[in-house]
Each structure stands twice: as structure tokens, then as C-alpha cells.
Amino acid sequence: MNINWYPGHMVKTKRQIEEDIKLIDVVLEILDARIPISSQNPDIKQIIKNKKRIILLNKSDLSDKTENIKWVKYFKNQGISAVLTNSNTGNGINEVLKEIESIMEDHMKKDIIKGRVGKQIRTIILGIPNVGKSSLINRITNKKSAGVGNKPGVTKQKQWVHLSNKIDLLDTPGVLWPKLENEEIALNLSFVGTIKEENIDKTELAYQLIKGLEKDYLENILNRYKIERQEYEGLEKGQNKIYLFMELIGRKRGALLQGNKVDVEKVANIILDEFRAAKLGNITLEMVNR
């Protein structure tokens, strides 16, 4: 399928972040727990260089709980801390703050020895659109105290806010968009709603989603749309099977046009909306062992 993608303002945003990073001790990289690889911008690793990093697996309430544990272990095995978060409820925020202090503990001890007492840990959150970056920042800053204002050497456009008596967050408006290197990444970003829907054929997108979910989460689909196993197994095999499956879902939902024809576009909207709202269950599209 063809997906049009126009990031825009990429160079300007990258330059701004590269300047901001010079002030930072710890980078918080926020990913979508349903697609940890596809939602990871390949440029971030290059930009942050040797800065300490913590992965925030956000929207973990929507993803597969078993896979969540595997992904945390996956990043840990690479020497990167990872924390499961939910920007809507605030779950995981306390764990993030503890992890920041933990990975900076040795550094802070050295500062104390050198007489630098009371120095704050400076952090920043980076992530592509629609992973919950703004919501998480709002959740963290609302939970903690008010902003601490500008600091020496920091331009007026940059706002530092207190997260704790040891941690500050650089709240910058910059957005960093990913490069779409292959169709799988483009599809995954489309499934979760990152790519604007006016650039996408929704029927084809829903087809690709059902095709993928059929392998690992078939029972979720059957249960959600009250489809009997024998009904599913009775579908004609071959390339048209997924379309027939979508039509079956449409009939179960009463998405019909005149002449008892299935409204495929309406079915596509139902499938995509219900997947994104986790009404099909907790689903992870990218699994560690694949």
C-alpha cells in the first residue's frame, strides 16, 4: 500500500534538539509499547551520543502484558533501562523518577566529592508524535511542583520545571519525526494512528491489520465480534480470505448497505478504532522474538 509521508521542519527540529542535548544529563526516550521498534526514531541514538538514556514504554495499558515484560528485559540486556508507563493515568512516573536517580547515583556522588552539592539532574523527553510525550510531560509536571524558571546560559524560550528536589525537566516544544525506512514500519505507525489518516487507504490498512492479528490474536477478534470458530474456518481459503473475514465482521456488526452488501469502509473504521482503543484486547504488534 502507498502511504504519503511529509515530515516537514526536520532539519530545524534536529538542530534545536542537538543544542538542547548539551544541557542534559539523562534522555527519556518515549516509545509506543505496542510497536517499540517502529516508534523509535533512528536519529535519536546519534543525537544523544553518550548521554544516559531511559526508555519509556508508554501506552503499556494497551499492549500485551507478557510482551511488555519481554521488552523491558530486551532493553535491559542492551544495557538500557526501560520503564512501563501510562501517560493517561500516570502509572510508571514514580518508577521513572527513581530510575533517573539510580542511573545518576555514581555521578551525583562524584559531584558531592567535588563540592557540587545540590546540583540538579537535567532531563528531557524525546519521542515521535502520538506516543504520548505531551501527555506524559503534563502528567509529570502537574503531579510535581511548579516551574523553576530560566537558568544561567539557557535561552528564554526554554522552560525548566521541577520533577523532584533532585530532578529538572527541560520542557521544549520540539517534535522529532521518524524516517520511514520500510513498509512494515509505515504500517505499524499507521495502525496506531501516528500517520494522518487522510494519507491512508483505511480499507487496505484494516486489511493489513487483520492479516497480522490473525496470526497471534485470532481469539481476540473472534471474541470481540462474536464469531464462531466454525464460521471463521468456513471462510474460503486464499488471497480473499481476509476480505471475507472483514465482511463477516461487518455482518456481525450490522454494517450493511442497500442490497445487504457490507459497508467495507465502515468495517475498516470499526476495526481500526477498536484496535486503537484496546477493545480487541491488549495487543503488541512487534514482538521481541521476531
Side-chain angles (χ1 to χ4, degrees), residues 95-142:
E95 287 77 5
V96 172
L97 298 179
K98 290 177 183 176
E99 194 61 32
I100 292 170
E101 291 191 27
S102 176
I103 67 172
M104 285 295 292
E105 185 176 5
D106 290 342
H107 186 84
M108 297 293 283
K109 286 179 179 178
K110 291 178 182 178
D111 278 343
I112 293 174
I113 293 172
K114 294 176 182 178
R116 300 172 186 168
V117 180
K119 185 181 177 182
Q120 294 289 104
I121 301 170
R122 293 175 165 187
T123 65
I124 190 172
I125 296 179
L126 299 180
I128 66 172
N130 205 45
V131 289
K133 180 168 70 75
S134 296
S135 297
L136 192 64
I137 289 174
N138 291 336
R139 176 66 65 171
I140 293 175
T141 54
N142 287 339

mmCIF file of all heavy atoms in Angstrom, residues 95-142:
data_model
loop_
_atom_site.group_PDB
_atom_site.id
_atom_site.type_symbol
_atom_site.label_atom_id
_atom_site.label_comp_id
_atom_site.label_asym_id
_atom_site.label_seq_id
_atom_site.Cartn_x
_atom_site.Cartn_y
_atom_site.Cartn_z
ATOM 1 N N GLU A 95 8.330 5.347 39.075
ATOM 2 C CA GLU A 95 9.414 4.434 38.720
ATOM 3 C C GLU A 95 10.443 5.134 37.826
ATOM 4 O O GLU A 95 11.646 4.899 37.947
ATOM 5 C CB GLU A 95 8.854 3.199 38.005
ATOM 6 C CG GLU A 95 8.118 2.219 38.893
ATOM 7 C CD GLU A 95 6.713 2.676 39.263
ATOM 8 O OE1 GLU A 95 6.275 3.726 38.738
ATOM 9 O OE2 GLU A 95 6.071 2.002 40.078
ATOM 10 N N VAL A 96 9.957 6.010 36.940
ATOM 11 C CA VAL A 96 10.862 6.762 36.065
ATOM 12 C C VAL A 96 11.767 7.670 36.895
ATOM 13 O O VAL A 96 12.990 7.715 36.689
ATOM 14 C CB VAL A 96 10.067 7.607 35.042
ATOM 15 C CG1 VAL A 96 11.010 8.540 34.280
ATOM 16 C CG2 VAL A 96 9.321 6.705 34.067
ATOM 17 N N LEU A 97 11.185 8.378 37.859
ATOM 18 C CA LEU A 97 11.966 9.292 38.697
ATOM 19 C C LEU A 97 13.012 8.524 39.516
ATOM 20 O O LEU A 97 14.159 8.971 39.647
ATOM 21 C CB LEU A 97 11.034 10.069 39.635
ATOM 22 C CG LEU A 97 9.991 10.961 38.949
ATOM 23 C CD1 LEU A 97 9.118 11.658 39.979
ATOM 24 C CD2 LEU A 97 10.651 11.980 38.031
ATOM 25 N N LYS A 98 12.618 7.360 40.027
ATOM 26 C CA LYS A 98 13.567 6.530 40.779
ATOM 27 C C LYS A 98 14.696 6.042 39.886
ATOM 28 O O LYS A 98 15.858 5.996 40.298
ATOM 29 C CB LYS A 98 12.838 5.330 41.393
ATOM 30 C CG LYS A 98 11.889 5.680 42.536
ATOM 31 C CD LYS A 98 11.162 4.440 43.024
ATOM 32 C CE LYS A 98 10.152 4.797 44.122
ATOM 33 N NZ LYS A 98 9.369 3.596 44.539
ATOM 34 N N GLU A 99 14.355 5.682 38.643
ATOM 35 C CA GLU A 99 15.359 5.172 37.704
ATOM 36 C C GLU A 99 16.342 6.279 37.315
ATOM 37 O O GLU A 99 17.540 6.024 37.147
ATOM 38 C CB GLU A 99 14.678 4.603 36.455
ATOM 39 C CG GLU A 99 15.570 3.758 35.576
ATOM 40 C CD GLU A 99 16.125 2.535 36.283
ATOM 41 O OE1 GLU A 99 15.444 1.980 37.165
ATOM 42 O OE2 GLU A 99 17.257 2.136 35.945
ATOM 43 N N ILE A 100 15.847 7.501 37.170
ATOM 44 C CA ILE A 100 16.731 8.635 36.857
ATOM 45 C C ILE A 100 17.771 8.802 37.960
ATOM 46 O O ILE A 100 18.975 8.931 37.701
ATOM 47 C CB ILE A 100 15.913 9.943 36.706
ATOM 48 C CG1 ILE A 100 15.043 9.878 35.452
ATOM 49 C CG2 ILE A 100 16.859 11.151 36.618
ATOM 50 C CD1 ILE A 100 14.036 11.005 35.337
ATOM 51 N N GLU A 101 17.303 8.792 39.212
ATOM 52 C CA GLU A 101 18.226 8.943 40.340
ATOM 53 C C GLU A 101 19.190 7.768 40.426
ATOM 54 O O GLU A 101 20.371 7.929 40.763
ATOM 55 C CB GLU A 101 17.443 9.080 41.648
ATOM 56 C CG GLU A 101 16.675 10.392 41.767
ATOM 57 C CD GLU A 101 16.131 10.615 43.168
ATOM 58 O OE1 GLU A 101 16.734 10.084 44.126
ATOM 59 O OE2 GLU A 101 15.114 11.316 43.303
ATOM 60 N N SER A 102 18.699 6.577 40.101
ATOM 61 C CA SER A 102 19.517 5.376 40.199
ATOM 62 C C SER A 102 20.683 5.418 39.210
ATOM 63 O O SER A 102 21.835 5.143 39.573
ATOM 64 C CB SER A 102 18.663 4.126 39.941
ATOM 65 O OG SER A 102 19.454 2.960 39.932
ATOM 66 N N ILE A 103 20.404 5.759 37.945
ATOM 67 C CA ILE A 103 21.477 5.725 36.946
ATOM 68 C C ILE A 103 22.430 6.922 37.089
ATOM 69 O O ILE A 103 23.519 6.915 36.531
ATOM 70 C CB ILE A 103 20.934 5.655 35.509
ATOM 71 C CG1 ILE A 103 20.208 6.949 35.115
ATOM 72 C CG2 ILE A 103 20.033 4.462 35.324
ATOM 73 C CD1 ILE A 103 19.830 6.979 33.642
ATOM 74 N N MET A 104 22.014 7.927 37.848
ATOM 75 C CA MET A 104 22.866 9.099 38.073
ATOM 76 C C MET A 104 23.540 9.068 39.451
ATOM 77 O O MET A 104 24.265 10.006 39.811
ATOM 78 C CB MET A 104 22.027 10.377 37.955
ATOM 79 C CG MET A 104 21.660 10.751 36.527
ATOM 80 S SD MET A 104 23.109 11.184 35.516
ATOM 81 C CE MET A 104 23.610 12.727 36.308
ATOM 82 N N GLU A 105 23.333 7.992 40.216
ATOM 83 C CA GLU A 105 23.818 7.936 41.589
ATOM 84 C C GLU A 105 25.335 8.121 41.685
ATOM 85 O O GLU A 105 25.828 8.943 42.473
ATOM 86 C CB GLU A 105 23.417 6.601 42.232
ATOM 87 C CG GLU A 105 23.782 6.511 43.703
ATOM 88 C CD GLU A 105 23.297 5.222 44.328
ATOM 89 O OE1 GLU A 105 22.751 4.358 43.600
ATOM 90 O OE2 GLU A 105 23.468 5.064 45.558
ATOM 91 N N ASP A 106 26.072 7.364 40.889
ATOM 92 C CA ASP A 106 27.538 7.472 40.935
ATOM 93 C C ASP A 106 28.005 8.866 40.527
ATOM 94 O O ASP A 106 28.928 9.430 41.119
ATOM 95 C CB ASP A 106 28.177 6.427 40.018
ATOM 96 C CG ASP A 106 28.016 5.011 40.557
ATOM 97 O OD1 ASP A 106 27.732 4.879 41.768
ATOM 98 O OD2 ASP A 106 28.153 4.057 39.773
ATOM 99 N N HIS A 107 27.361 9.420 39.512
ATOM 100 C CA HIS A 107 27.719 10.748 39.039
ATOM 101 C C HIS A 107 27.462 11.803 40.122
ATOM 102 O O HIS A 107 28.288 12.702 40.333
ATOM 103 C CB HIS A 107 26.899 11.088 37.791
ATOM 104 C CG HIS A 107 27.280 12.376 37.133
ATOM 105 N ND1 HIS A 107 28.327 12.478 36.238
ATOM 106 C CD2 HIS A 107 26.765 13.625 37.244
ATOM 107 C CE1 HIS A 107 28.437 13.722 35.833
ATOM 108 N NE2 HIS A 107 27.497 14.446 36.417
ATOM 109 N N MET A 108 26.345 11.660 40.816
ATOM 110 C CA MET A 108 25.998 12.614 41.867
ATOM 111 C C MET A 108 26.980 12.532 43.036
ATOM 112 O O MET A 108 27.352 13.539 43.643
ATOM 113 C CB MET A 108 24.568 12.351 42.353
ATOM 114 C CG MET A 108 23.496 12.557 41.295
ATOM 115 S SD MET A 108 23.322 14.277 40.777
ATOM 116 C CE MET A 108 22.417 14.945 42.158
ATOM 117 N N LYS A 109 27.433 11.310 43.339
ATOM 118 C CA LYS A 109 28.409 11.130 44.425
ATOM 119 C C LYS A 109 29.718 11.836 44.084
ATOM 120 O O LYS A 109 30.350 12.453 44.944
ATOM 121 C CB LYS A 109 28.649 9.636 44.666
ATOM 122 C CG LYS A 109 27.504 8.936 45.378
ATOM 123 C CD LYS A 109 27.811 7.455 45.568
ATOM 124 C CE LYS A 109 26.676 6.755 46.299
ATOM 125 N NZ LYS A 109 26.936 5.296 46.453
ATOM 126 N N LYS A 110 30.134 11.738 42.813
ATOM 127 C CA LYS A 110 31.356 12.408 42.373
ATOM 128 C C LYS A 110 31.212 13.928 42.485
ATOM 129 O O LYS A 110 32.159 14.632 42.842
ATOM 130 C CB LYS A 110 31.681 12.011 40.932
ATOM 131 C CG LYS A 110 32.121 10.565 40.780
ATOM 132 C CD LYS A 110 32.380 10.220 39.321
ATOM 133 C CE LYS A 110 32.779 8.753 39.180
ATOM 134 N NZ LYS A 110 32.984 8.374 37.758
ATOM 135 N N ASP A 111 30.013 14.434 42.161
ATOM 136 C CA ASP A 111 29.766 15.873 42.283
ATOM 137 C C ASP A 111 29.892 16.331 43.732
ATOM 138 O O ASP A 111 30.440 17.397 44.017
ATOM 139 C CB ASP A 111 28.363 16.216 41.757
ATOM 140 C CG ASP A 111 28.325 16.345 40.239
ATOM 141 O OD1 ASP A 111 29.409 16.484 39.642
ATOM 142 O OD2 ASP A 111 27.227 16.303 39.668
ATOM 143 N N ILE A 112 29.378 15.513 44.648
ATOM 144 C CA ILE A 112 29.440 15.860 46.074
ATOM 145 C C ILE A 112 30.893 15.916 46.549
ATOM 146 O O ILE A 112 31.298 16.818 47.281
ATOM 147 C CB ILE A 112 28.632 14.849 46.915
ATOM 148 C CG1 ILE A 112 27.134 14.995 46.589
ATOM 149 C CG2 ILE A 112 28.883 15.059 48.409
ATOM 150 C CD1 ILE A 112 26.266 13.947 47.242
ATOM 151 N N ILE A 113 31.680 14.924 46.096
ATOM 152 C CA ILE A 113 33.105 14.894 46.458
ATOM 153 C C ILE A 113 33.806 16.157 45.957
ATOM 154 O O ILE A 113 34.690 16.704 46.619
ATOM 155 C CB ILE A 113 33.785 13.632 45.871
ATOM 156 C CG1 ILE A 113 33.232 12.376 46.566
ATOM 157 C CG2 ILE A 113 35.299 13.710 46.038
ATOM 158 C CD1 ILE A 113 33.688 11.073 45.942
ATOM 159 N N LYS A 114 33.392 16.633 44.780
ATOM 160 C CA LYS A 114 33.993 17.835 44.193
ATOM 161 C C LYS A 114 33.394 19.124 44.766
ATOM 162 O O LYS A 114 33.761 20.215 44.347
ATOM 163 C CB LYS A 114 33.804 17.819 42.676
ATOM 164 C CG LYS A 114 34.563 16.698 41.971
ATOM 165 C CD LYS A 114 34.259 16.690 40.482
ATOM 166 C CE LYS A 114 34.991 15.544 39.782
ATOM 167 N NZ LYS A 114 34.676 15.496 38.334
ATOM 168 N N GLY A 115 32.454 18.965 45.703
ATOM 169 C CA GLY A 115 31.857 20.137 46.330
ATOM 170 C C GLY A 115 30.655 20.704 45.606
ATOM 171 O O GLY A 115 30.148 21.774 45.958
ATOM 172 N N ARG A 116 30.175 19.982 44.597
ATOM 173 C CA ARG A 116 28.991 20.447 43.866
ATOM 174 C C ARG A 116 27.732 19.886 44.527
ATOM 175 O O ARG A 116 27.117 18.949 44.047
ATOM 176 C CB ARG A 116 29.062 19.994 42.407
ATOM 177 C CG ARG A 116 30.279 20.528 41.661
ATOM 178 C CD ARG A 116 30.377 19.880 40.290
ATOM 179 N NE ARG A 116 31.594 20.259 39.595
ATOM 180 C CZ ARG A 116 32.043 19.661 38.483
ATOM 181 N NH1 ARG A 116 31.352 18.655 37.956
ATOM 182 N NH2 ARG A 116 33.159 20.068 37.916
ATOM 183 N N VAL A 117 27.375 20.458 45.640
ATOM 184 C CA VAL A 117 26.226 19.972 46.413
ATOM 185 C C VAL A 117 24.940 20.632 45.908
ATOM 186 O O VAL A 117 24.916 21.832 45.626
ATOM 187 C CB VAL A 117 26.413 20.280 47.912
ATOM 188 C CG1 VAL A 117 25.215 19.779 48.709
ATOM 189 C CG2 VAL A 117 27.706 19.670 48.418
ATOM 190 N N GLY A 118 23.889 19.835 45.782
ATOM 191 C CA GLY A 118 22.589 20.384 45.385
ATOM 192 C C GLY A 118 22.400 20.566 43.903
ATOM 193 O O GLY A 118 21.416 21.181 43.472
ATOM 194 N N LYS A 119 23.313 20.043 43.113
ATOM 195 C CA LYS A 119 23.179 20.160 41.661
ATOM 196 C C LYS A 119 22.030 19.286 41.164
ATOM 197 O O LYS A 119 21.922 18.113 41.524
ATOM 198 C CB LYS A 119 24.479 19.752 40.981
ATOM 199 C CG LYS A 119 24.465 19.952 39.469
ATOM 200 C CD LYS A 119 25.779 19.510 38.840
ATOM 201 C CE LYS A 119 25.725 19.649 37.327
ATOM 202 N NZ LYS A 119 26.970 19.171 36.678
ATOM 203 N N GLN A 120 21.163 19.865 40.331
ATOM 204 C CA GLN A 120 20.001 19.139 39.816
ATOM 205 C C GLN A 120 20.372 18.230 38.642
ATOM 206 O O GLN A 120 21.284 18.540 37.867
ATOM 207 C CB GLN A 120 18.932 20.130 39.345
ATOM 208 C CG GLN A 120 18.311 20.959 40.454
ATOM 209 C CD GLN A 120 17.416 20.135 41.343
ATOM 210 O OE1 GLN A 120 17.805 19.798 42.468
ATOM 211 N NE2 GLN A 120 16.247 19.796 40.886
ATOM 212 N N ILE A 121 19.658 17.126 38.506
ATOM 213 C CA ILE A 121 19.781 16.262 37.336
ATOM 214 C C ILE A 121 18.885 16.851 36.252
ATOM 215 O O ILE A 121 17.692 17.074 36.470
ATOM 216 C CB ILE A 121 19.332 14.822 37.660
ATOM 217 C CG1 ILE A 121 20.170 14.236 38.790
ATOM 218 C CG2 ILE A 121 19.423 13.947 36.408
ATOM 219 C CD1 ILE A 121 19.630 12.916 39.324
ATOM 220 N N ARG A 122 19.457 17.088 35.092
ATOM 221 C CA ARG A 122 18.696 17.694 34.000
ATOM 222 C C ARG A 122 18.245 16.627 33.003
ATOM 223 O O ARG A 122 19.062 15.856 32.496
ATOM 224 C CB ARG A 122 19.542 18.755 33.294
ATOM 225 C CG ARG A 122 19.841 19.983 34.154
ATOM 226 C CD ARG A 122 20.770 20.925 33.439
ATOM 227 N NE ARG A 122 20.799 22.248 34.065
ATOM 228 C CZ ARG A 122 21.434 23.297 33.562
ATOM 229 N NH1 ARG A 122 22.126 23.161 32.440
ATOM 230 N NH2 ARG A 122 21.395 24.468 34.181
ATOM 231 N N THR A 123 16.955 16.617 32.702
ATOM 232 C CA THR A 123 16.391 15.598 31.814
ATOM 233 C C THR A 123 15.599 16.245 30.681
ATOM 234 O O THR A 123 15.215 17.410 30.749
ATOM 235 C CB THR A 123 15.449 14.649 32.583
ATOM 236 O OG1 THR A 123 14.309 15.396 33.050
ATOM 237 C CG2 THR A 123 16.150 14.015 33.766
ATOM 238 N N ILE A 124 15.349 15.445 29.653
ATOM 239 C CA ILE A 124 14.495 15.863 28.538
ATOM 240 C C ILE A 124 13.775 14.629 28.017
ATOM 241 O O ILE A 124 14.305 13.512 28.099
ATOM 242 C CB ILE A 124 15.321 16.520 27.404
ATOM 243 C CG1 ILE A 124 14.415 17.162 26.359
ATOM 244 C CG2 ILE A 124 16.244 15.504 26.731
ATOM 245 C CD1 ILE A 124 15.169 17.981 25.314
ATOM 246 N N ILE A 125 12.553 14.802 27.499
ATOM 247 C CA ILE A 125 11.800 13.695 26.902
ATOM 248 C C ILE A 125 11.786 13.863 25.390
ATOM 249 O O ILE A 125 11.419 14.925 24.881
ATOM 250 C CB ILE A 125 10.350 13.642 27.424
ATOM 251 C CG1 ILE A 125 10.328 13.360 28.928
ATOM 252 C CG2 ILE A 125 9.559 12.566 26.683
ATOM 253 C CD1 ILE A 125 8.936 13.311 29.523
ATOM 254 N N LEU A 126 12.198 12.819 24.662
ATOM 255 C CA LEU A 126 12.177 12.820 23.199
ATOM 256 C C LEU A 126 11.292 11.684 22.709
ATOM 257 O O LEU A 126 11.261 10.606 23.305
ATOM 258 C CB LEU A 126 13.586 12.642 22.631
ATOM 259 C CG LEU A 126 14.624 13.715 22.977
ATOM 260 C CD1 LEU A 126 15.957 13.368 22.332
ATOM 261 C CD2 LEU A 126 14.156 15.088 22.549
ATOM 262 N N GLY A 127 10.606 11.941 21.615
ATOM 263 C CA GLY A 127 9.766 10.887 21.051
ATOM 264 C C GLY A 127 9.029 11.383 19.823
ATOM 265 O O GLY A 127 8.848 12.589 19.641
ATOM 266 N N ILE A 128 8.602 10.467 18.975
ATOM 267 C CA ILE A 128 7.861 10.832 17.773
ATOM 268 C C ILE A 128 6.426 11.187 18.159
ATOM 269 O O ILE A 128 5.994 10.925 19.289
ATOM 270 C CB ILE A 128 7.873 9.681 16.737
ATOM 271 C CG1 ILE A 128 7.096 8.467 17.262
ATOM 272 C CG2 ILE A 128 9.297 9.294 16.375
ATOM 273 C CD1 ILE A 128 6.894 7.379 16.238
ATOM 274 N N PRO A 129 5.661 11.786 17.241
ATOM 275 C CA PRO A 129 4.276 12.149 17.552
ATOM 276 C C PRO A 129 3.415 10.946 17.920
ATOM 277 O O PRO A 129 3.648 9.823 17.466
ATOM 278 C CB PRO A 129 3.782 12.782 16.239
ATOM 279 C CG PRO A 129 5.020 13.279 15.577
ATOM 280 C CD PRO A 129 6.083 12.272 15.916
ATOM 281 N N ASN A 130 2.425 11.208 18.747
ATOM 282 C CA ASN A 130 1.381 10.237 19.101
ATOM 283 C C ASN A 130 1.858 9.092 19.978
ATOM 284 O O ASN A 130 1.197 8.068 20.081
ATOM 285 C CB ASN A 130 0.710 9.659 17.842
ATOM 286 C CG ASN A 130 -0.695 9.157 18.143
ATOM 287 O OD1 ASN A 130 -1.476 9.817 18.812
ATOM 288 N ND2 ASN A 130 -1.006 7.964 17.657
ATOM 289 N N VAL A 131 3.015 9.247 20.625
ATOM 290 C CA VAL A 131 3.439 8.241 21.602
ATOM 291 C C VAL A 131 3.088 8.678 23.019
ATOM 292 O O VAL A 131 3.352 7.962 23.971
ATOM 293 C CB VAL A 131 4.956 7.942 21.513
ATOM 294 C CG1 VAL A 131 5.280 7.188 20.247
ATOM 295 C CG2 VAL A 131 5.768 9.206 21.631
ATOM 296 N N GLY A 132 2.496 9.874 23.152
ATOM 297 C CA GLY A 132 2.061 10.345 24.465
ATOM 298 C C GLY A 132 3.057 11.235 25.170
ATOM 299 O O GLY A 132 2.981 11.417 26.390
ATOM 300 N N LYS A 133 3.986 11.844 24.402
ATOM 301 C CA LYS A 133 5.026 12.678 25.008
ATOM 302 C C LYS A 133 4.435 13.876 25.753
ATOM 303 O O LYS A 133 4.750 14.123 26.917
ATOM 304 C CB LYS A 133 6.008 13.160 23.936
ATOM 305 C CG LYS A 133 7.137 14.040 24.475
ATOM 306 C CD LYS A 133 8.227 14.231 23.436
ATOM 307 C CE LYS A 133 7.785 15.090 22.281
ATOM 308 N NZ LYS A 133 7.722 16.535 22.626
ATOM 309 N N SER A 134 3.568 14.616 25.075
ATOM 310 C CA SER A 134 2.978 15.807 25.694
ATOM 311 C C SER A 134 2.131 15.446 26.906
ATOM 312 O O SER A 134 2.177 16.114 27.942
ATOM 313 C CB SER A 134 2.125 16.567 24.670
ATOM 314 O OG SER A 134 2.924 17.044 23.615
ATOM 315 N N SER A 135 1.361 14.365 26.778
ATOM 316 C CA SER A 135 0.511 13.933 27.892
ATOM 317 C C SER A 135 1.350 13.524 29.097
ATOM 318 O O SER A 135 1.001 13.831 30.247
ATOM 319 C CB SER A 135 -0.374 12.748 27.469
ATOM 320 O OG SER A 135 -1.245 13.132 26.437
ATOM 321 N N LEU A 136 2.460 12.846 28.828
ATOM 322 C CA LEU A 136 3.316 12.405 29.927
ATOM 323 C C LEU A 136 3.989 13.601 30.602
ATOM 324 O O LEU A 136 4.072 13.660 31.833
ATOM 325 C CB LEU A 136 4.374 11.421 29.419
ATOM 326 C CG LEU A 136 5.139 10.671 30.506
ATOM 327 C CD1 LEU A 136 4.210 9.782 31.306
ATOM 328 C CD2 LEU A 136 6.254 9.838 29.910
ATOM 329 N N ILE A 137 4.449 14.563 29.800
ATOM 330 C CA ILE A 137 5.052 15.769 30.368
ATOM 331 C C ILE A 137 4.035 16.500 31.246
ATOM 332 O O ILE A 137 4.342 16.917 32.367
ATOM 333 C CB ILE A 137 5.567 16.705 29.244
ATOM 334 C CG1 ILE A 137 6.803 16.097 28.582
ATOM 335 C CG2 ILE A 137 5.914 18.082 29.811
ATOM 336 C CD1 ILE A 137 7.299 16.864 27.379
ATOM 337 N N ASN A 138 2.799 16.635 30.729
ATOM 338 C CA ASN A 138 1.753 17.303 31.510
ATOM 339 C C ASN A 138 1.456 16.552 32.801
ATOM 340 O O ASN A 138 1.271 17.153 33.858
ATOM 341 C CB ASN A 138 0.470 17.443 30.682
ATOM 342 C CG ASN A 138 0.611 18.430 29.553
ATOM 343 O OD1 ASN A 138 1.449 19.330 29.615
ATOM 344 N ND2 ASN A 138 -0.178 18.270 28.513
ATOM 345 N N ARG A 139 1.419 15.233 32.705
ATOM 346 C CA ARG A 139 1.137 14.408 33.881
ATOM 347 C C ARG A 139 2.245 14.561 34.919
ATOM 348 O O ARG A 139 1.976 14.710 36.113
ATOM 349 C CB ARG A 139 1.001 12.947 33.457
ATOM 350 C CG ARG A 139 0.803 11.957 34.579
ATOM 351 C CD ARG A 139 -0.503 12.116 35.301
ATOM 352 N NE ARG A 139 -1.649 11.835 34.444
ATOM 353 C CZ ARG A 139 -2.904 11.745 34.908
ATOM 354 N NH1 ARG A 139 -3.136 11.941 36.199
ATOM 355 N NH2 ARG A 139 -3.898 11.504 34.094
ATOM 356 N N ILE A 140 3.491 14.535 34.479
ATOM 357 C CA ILE A 140 4.622 14.656 35.401
ATOM 358 C C ILE A 140 4.655 16.036 36.051
ATOM 359 O O ILE A 140 4.781 16.173 37.257
ATOM 360 C CB ILE A 140 5.963 14.399 34.673
ATOM 361 C CG1 ILE A 140 6.063 12.934 34.231
ATOM 362 C CG2 ILE A 140 7.139 14.737 35.580
ATOM 363 C CD1 ILE A 140 7.295 12.622 33.399
ATOM 364 N N THR A 141 4.525 17.082 35.221
ATOM 365 C CA THR A 141 4.658 18.442 35.747
ATOM 366 C C THR A 141 3.470 18.844 36.605
ATOM 367 O O THR A 141 3.618 19.616 37.556
ATOM 368 C CB THR A 141 4.839 19.460 34.598
ATOM 369 O OG1 THR A 141 3.765 19.307 33.657
ATOM 370 C CG2 THR A 141 6.151 19.241 33.886
ATOM 371 N N ASN A 142 2.291 18.331 36.304
ATOM 372 C CA ASN A 142 1.127 18.629 37.138
ATOM 373 C C ASN A 142 1.230 17.927 38.480
ATOM 374 O O ASN A 142 0.754 18.422 39.499
ATOM 375 C CB ASN A 142 -0.166 18.197 36.440
ATOM 376 C CG ASN A 142 -0.530 19.111 35.291
ATOM 377 O OD1 ASN A 142 -0.073 20.255 35.247
ATOM 378 N ND2 ASN A 142 -1.305 18.614 34.349
#
